Each structure stands twice: as C-alpha cells, then as structure tokens.
Amino acid sequence: MDAGEFLNDSLIDFYLKWLRDHQSRPALRDQCHFFSSHFYTKLEGAGFGGDRPDHAAVRRWTRGVNLFAKRLVFVPVNQAAHWSLAVVCSPGHLAISPEEFGEPCVLHLDSLRLHSGKEVARRLRGYLALEYEKQYPGGGPVAFTASTMPLVRPPVPSQGNTSDCGVYVLEYAKRILTEPAFTKPTSIQVESRFQDFLNRKMFGESLIREKRQAIRKLILQLHDEQQQQQQHEPKSESGQTNGKTTMTL
C-alpha cells in the first residue's frame, strides 16, 4: 500500500467486502452484491459481448444469489493493468417490479477513461439476459438493451498517475454505498440521477493519498487482531489452531 504501488486483486476484493460489512448504509447492505475481481475476466473469456456467450462458464458465480433482487451489483473491471468499476443499478426494475426499483442503468466509473464503457455495459447486459433466463425460466421476454438499461459514465475525479486506479475504484464504491439516494426507488432520469454526488469535485488527490494510508492501517490492525486471536485459540494435536482465518490477502 505504499505510494506508487498498484493494488492487486486480493486488496480490491478484501476492501470491497469490508466496505459492504462496515461502511454501507444498513438499509442498503443486504441489497448489494459484490462480484470478485476475477468475474469480469471470466465474462470476457466466456465470450460475453459477442454472438455466442457461454453462460455455463459463469453460471456458478451466482449460486444461491438472485441478482434481480439486488439494488446494486458491483463489478470490478481489470484490463490493461488498470482498474475501473461497473455498478449495475436496479436490475430488478426490468425483471421484477418497476415500482419497487429505481430506473436501471450500468454505471461505469473510470479514473482514466481507459476502459470502453460501451463494451463493459454490453457484456453485463448480455450476462444479465442469460442470468434472467436461469433465474426465471418461462418468465417471458425481458430486453436488456442500451435503451432499457443505459450506460452512465459520470464525470468522476481523474487520477494523476498510473498507479492509483484501484484506490479510486474503492473510493467510488464507498461513495455509492454511503449515498442515501440508493436506498429507495426513484423516477429521476438516469443521466441526472447521480450528478450531485458523482462528479469531478467529489474528492481530490489528497484524499486518495490518505485512503492508501487508511487501508494500510486497517490491514495491519486486522492482521494484529488475527494474530492475537490465534494465540488464544486451542491447538489441535498437529499444533495448528482450530479457529477460522478472518482475513486472507
């Protein structure tokens, strides 16, 4: 977590889960799903975005989870040694109830505008279409298209180097998870729905430097707590502790 260090997939996954459990608004916590940082790469490999996607290759990623019952679905994107964040908002508007969920869209937040938002959104819509067929067999046709689930790319803060993209992704996620607007449905047009809290002025580079240090401090704190816990746990005959690991990086 030193300055200039690129955040790896383990750090991204760890901190997103920590945000979900400790920073998100209580009314929103159970209404979010976080895909692993490897999920989008799997979508690419399974041909999503093309004519013949292989849903079987990613079918197990949502075992026991109905994405359409969630208000927010977070998808970290890693391409060309760069992180961005996609967030599917209100997929249940199309699949379950327009009244219960807000207007659907695919948010794409990229601190360098390096990734193709259109490509990201196209892959995710294609995935949701097949996921809908799995979740609601015989449920009738539902169109996941650019018109029914548009791409929204807010003018978010940009990084001034090539190494902070992962930290920006984590800060974007935090802002969304703590924003009251996501806890209730709205009919506000998607293009203007996020402009009050997702914009170029929502934070500066000094906050990103502070966030690096805060994440580093959190990891060290949790590591120390884990070590202390293991010291007080009974050991098996092999000399190993019987407790569960609370953090793996």
Side-chain angles (χ1 to χ4, degrees):
M1 288 303 300
D2 294 331
E5 181 180 351
F6 185 81
L7 269 62
N8 62 26
D9 51 356
S10 296
L11 282 169
I12 295 291
D13 288 339
F14 156 72
Y15 197 73
L16 286 176
K17 291 177 182 177
W18 187 85
L19 284 175
R20 177 197 64 193
D21 295 338
H22 300 280
Q23 293 280 294
S24 61
R25 294 175 62 84
L28 190 59
R29 189 169 301 147
D30 294 333
Q31 300 181 48
C32 298
H33 181 73
F34 291 80
F35 276 111
S36 157
S37 57
H38 297 283
F39 174 71
Y40 187 80
T41 304
K42 291 291 185 181
L43 281 185
E44 289 183 290
F48 282 88
D51 296 330
R52 301 181 65 181
D54 180 12
H55 185 254
V58 292
R59 187 181 182 92
R60 295 183 179 180
W61 285 78
T62 51
R63 180 180 293 175
V65 176
N66 182 358
L67 294 180
F68 303 99
K70 306 294 183 180
R71 292 198 183 279
L72 300 172
V73 179
F74 290 79
V75 184
V77 178
N78 189 349
Q79 290 178 317
H82 176 66
W83 290 104
S84 66
L85 179 67
V87 185
V88 179
C89 302
S90 303
H93 178 96
L94 299 174
I96 299 177
S97 168
E99 291 75 25
E100 184 178 349
F101 295 89
E103 294 295 319
C105 69
V106 177
L107 273 177
H108 186 228
L109 312 175
D110 188 340
S111 55
L112 284 179
R113 291 265 175 164
L114 183 64
H115 295 160
S116 169
K118 290 183 179 180
E119 182 180 274
V120 170
R122 183 169 60 250
R123 282 199 174 100
L124 291 175
R125 292 190 204 104
Y127 168 71
L128 288 171
L130 295 182
E131 189 69 11
Y132 173 80
E133 292 178 5
K134 181 193 82 172
Q135 193 70 42
Y136 300 99
V142 173
F144 294 89
T145 66
S147 59
T148 62
M149 183 175 278
L151 167 68
V152 178
R153 301 191 78 186
V156 291
S158 300
Q159 65 189 86
N161 55 37
T162 59
S163 58
D164 279 339
C165 51
V167 189
Y168 275 78
V169 160
L170 298 178
E171 184 61 23
Y172 296 152
K174 177 185 176 182
R175 297 294 172 123
I176 291 172
L177 286 167
T178 56
E179 171 54 47
F182 282 104
T183 62
K184 55 186 178 181
T186 177
S187 59
I188 299 175
Q189 289 185 340
V190 292
E191 291 295 339
S192 58
R193 178 179 171 189
F194 311 105
Q195 62 186 5
D196 290 339
F197 60 93
L198 292 177
N199 53 63
R200 288 192 178 93
K201 297 182 179 180
M202 65 183 187
F203 60 82
E205 291 188 6
S206 60
L207 183 141
I208 294 299
R209 291 192 294 270
E210 294 170 2
K211 192 169 192 71
R212 272 189 177 272
Q213 296 305 313
I215 295 174
R216 179 188 179 92
K217 183 178 180 180
L218 173 64
I219 291 172
L220 292 175
Q221 175 188 334
L222 293 177
H223 179 265
D224 289 344
E225 292 176 359
Q226 183 176 334
Q227 292 293 100
Q228 293 176 10
Q229 178 182 348
Q230 290 177 348
Q231 289 175 3
H232 292 88
E233 288 175 351
K235 294 186 177 181
S236 65
E237 293 181 0
S238 63
Q240 300 296 318
T241 58
N242 295 322
K244 295 181 179 179
T245 300
T246 57
M247 179 182 67
T248 302
L249 291 178

